Each structure stands twice: as structure tokens, then as C-alpha cells.
Amino acid sequence: MSRPIVATIHSAALRQNLEIVRRAAPRSRVWSVVKANGYGHGIDRIWQHLSDTDGFALLNLEEAIQLREQGWKKPILLLEGFFHSDELELLDRYRLTTSVHSNWQLQALAKARLSAPLDIYVKVNSGMNRLGFMPEQVHNVWEKLRALDNVGEMTLMTHFAEAEKEEGIIEPLKQVELAAEGLNCRRSLANSAATLWHPEAHFDWVRPGIILYGASPSGQWQDIAGSGLKPAMSLTSEIIGIQQLRSGAGVGYGYRYHAAAEQRIGVVACGYADGYPRHAPTGTPVVIDGVRTRTLGAISMDMMMVDLTPCAQAGIGTKVELWGDRVKIDEVASSAGTVGYELMCALAPRVPVEVL
Ligand SMILES: *Cc1c(COP(=O)(O)O)cnc(C)c1O
């Protein structure tokens, strides 16, 4: 590869993060969430390193089939269920567990001709108002589903809107209990934040995503700093140019940065077309040759400029960590006004990926 940028997937970090999930929720089974192509890491690159999990959860039928064809035999959960009734044939063929969040899906399940029953997750809307039945509808829906020959094992699921907050799941849990009244059912409620911070929500299956990749569900790295979670992806590149600025000189598009004095800066082969956030302002952290420094001015499509003041030894070819072990993806994200989730999912296809 000629251009020096590369994303590195750390298989040991994936394994360790899954182990930390196990320790956090020792009595629950684990759906490892690998939607959005494994949060940008590439499902086919990562799933074997997470194969100690009890199941994989995702939402794209194609990705589910890909997992089956690569040899994954244990459960796969479609988090949003099927999108059209004609997909049921494939759910049947590939033995996929499906969420059921709407009445039309119930009717489709009733009508389908399946070779064997499918396990289902009945989704309850516990306040987020995204997908799911209202708690007071669940009893009726549950009984109807249970009566169908096409339905196997049933589990109640919900998704939390703000599980990173201390009081964030109190009301949603009440809604779940309302829905579950008299059902004596299995439950799957906990995303990463609830897996880490709300053991009372663990129940039968937890569904962590972001923590498997070593980023924080709250968007703040400090919140997981003591957890042992490790970044599963690093993005690195090199310095490909050096400029010696005079006092007052501007840098990059719009001259968004001006040197207050003479200053040595580096040009790094990484830009927003690689998935680095264009909104990252001057001051976003980077590590150059092991030394922490910062971006200067606007991020270009293919390049960015960085302050070499603390890195006198840096020159052409010096390694730059954009995110990874020393600059957490959460730090870059919060500097740019977003969350680690978005950055990892947005890693551009043009970036070469290696797996260590
Ligand atoms: C994405 C998702 C998860 C995982 O969320 P994280 O915050 O990444 O842990 C769990 N459940 C559902 C339904 C999801 O859509």
C-alpha cells in the first residue's frame, strides 16, 4: 500500500472486551452486537475473535447470511426483525431469531410456511418511542404469538434511551415490568451502558455493542477508563510534509488557524474522506511518535495539519496515531461534537485494514 494510512483491528482487544462483558454480567448470555458491519470493523474480520459469544445480533439479513455461510452455527438475532414478509423464507432457511415490533410482522408470521418454528424477541416500547409495542399491548401480542405454530422460544426485549445515566433506566424498567406482568418470560434489555452500569437490567441476555470495540457508551472515555476495555481499532498514518510557519501565517482551508509565533507543523495523510471527522477543530488530540499534540486548522479531504512544537524529532515518515490506544476514539469524537460510535462506523472503505 502506498498511502501510509491504515486501520488496525486488534483481535486481542476484542477477546478481552468480551471477557469483560462476561465478568460484568456473569449470569447472562451475551448477544454480541455486530450491526453496521461490526461497528465499522468488518464483520468478517472480527466475528471469529468474538466467537466465544452466545450469539450475534445485527439487523441486516445479508450480514446474517454472511455469518452463517462463514460457519457461525449459534444464534443470530435480527434486532429490527424482518423488513418485508417475503424475507421469512430466508429467516427460516438460515435459522435466524427475529425481533417482532409491529402487528404486521405478527400477521406475516401467522401466514408464513416455515420448515420449523422461529425463536422471536417481542419488542416493547419502554419510552424511547422508536420500535416496539406499548406495554399494555404486550400481553395480547404475546398470547397471539404463542399460539402460532411458527413461533418457538419467546423473549421480551426493549432498548434504553439513556442507560448511561444513573437514573436512566428506572422508568423504562417499570414499563418492561408492566409489559411482562403474568408472562413469566425471558428478558433481554441491556445495551453496553446497562451491561456495565445497571446489573438490575441484565436478566437472561445482554446486548452489548460499543464496549466490545473498546469505546464508551457515554461518549466519555473517562467513564470506562478503569474497566479494562481496550480500543479494538486504531487509525494510524504518517507525516508526509513539513512546513515552517512564520508568525501570523494561516493554515489550511479558511485559514482557521494562525500561528502566534514561528511554528513547525506536519502534514498527515488522513482526512475526512478516510472517516476522520471534518468538524474536529484545532486542538483535537493526535499522538506523533509517542508524543501527544494537536490538529491545526480545518481537516481537508485527504490531509490534516498538526502541531510539531512538542515533537522536535518528528519528520517525514514519522508515525501518527489518529485514534487508538493513546488517543481514544472518544476523545476525537467529543472534540468533533460526536460519539465514538459514529467515527468507527464511518471508517472509509478506502482505508486499508489489517488485523493483528
Ligand atoms: C445497537 C443496539 C444495541 C447495542 O448498543 P450499544 O450502545 O452499542 O451497546 C443493543 N440493542 C439494540 C436493539 C441495538 O439497536
Side-chain angles (χ1 to χ4, degrees), residues 33 35 39 79 123 130 157 159 190-193 207-211 217 341:
V33 180
K35 63 191 181 190
Y39 287 47
L79 289 165
K123 189 145 190 188
R130 205 167 65 173
M157 83 182 283
H159 192 54
N191 56 6
S192 290
R207 301 191 313 270
I210 193 75
I211 54 177
Y341 293 82

Side-chain angles (χ1 to χ4, degrees), residues 11-160:
S11 55
L14 290 164
R15 290 172 196 280
Q16 171 161 339
N17 296 342
L18 179 57
E19 184 51 38
I20 284 167
V21 165
R22 291 268 186 220
R23 268 184 258 151
R27 278 176 294 279
S28 308
R29 280 181 283 174
V30 178
W31 288 114
S32 290
V33 180
V34 292
K35 63 191 181 190
N37 199 22
Y39 287 47
H41 294 62
I43 290 193
D44 48 351
R45 292 187 196 107
I46 63 165
W47 74 267
Q48 297 187 29
H49 306 297
L50 294 172
S51 59
D52 201 30
T53 190
D54 299 297
F56 285 113
L58 41 66
L59 42 88
N60 220 325
L61 191 49
E62 290 72 21
E63 291 180 341
I65 293 172
Q66 186 187 336
L67 268 175
R68 282 283 182 250
E69 292 192 332
Q70 292 181 16
W72 177 251
K73 301 235 160 38
K74 290 196 274 179
I76 298 179
L77 169 62
L78 296 173
L79 289 165
E80 296 174 15
F82 44 99
F83 297 93
H84 303 99
S85 49
D86 57 8
E87 291 155 30
L88 278 167
E89 190 193 324
L90 288 170
L91 269 62
D92 183 28
R93 188 179 327 155
Y94 290 96
R95 294 284 94 205
L96 307 176
T97 302
T98 180
S99 134
V100 174
H101 57 74
S102 297
N103 268 312
W104 73 265
Q105 291 175 318
L106 193 160
Q107 284 150 18
L109 268 170
K111 280 203 211 114
R113 288 164 173 248
L114 305 181
S115 65
L118 287 176
D119 293 341
I120 62 167
Y121 273 51
V122 178
K123 189 145 190 188
V124 52
N125 173 6
S126 59
M128 188 176 188
N129 290 309
R130 205 167 65 173
L131 291 179
F133 297 99
M134 294 308 289
E136 57 273 20
Q137 297 175 299
V138 166
H139 204 274
N140 186 21
V141 166
W142 191 274
E143 294 304 325
K144 280 189 190 153
L145 283 163
R146 193 159 60 180
L148 300 180
D149 291 336
N150 281 338
V151 169
E153 223 175 63
M154 292 171 61
T155 304
L156 191 67
M157 83 182 283
T158 197
H159 192 54
F160 296 127

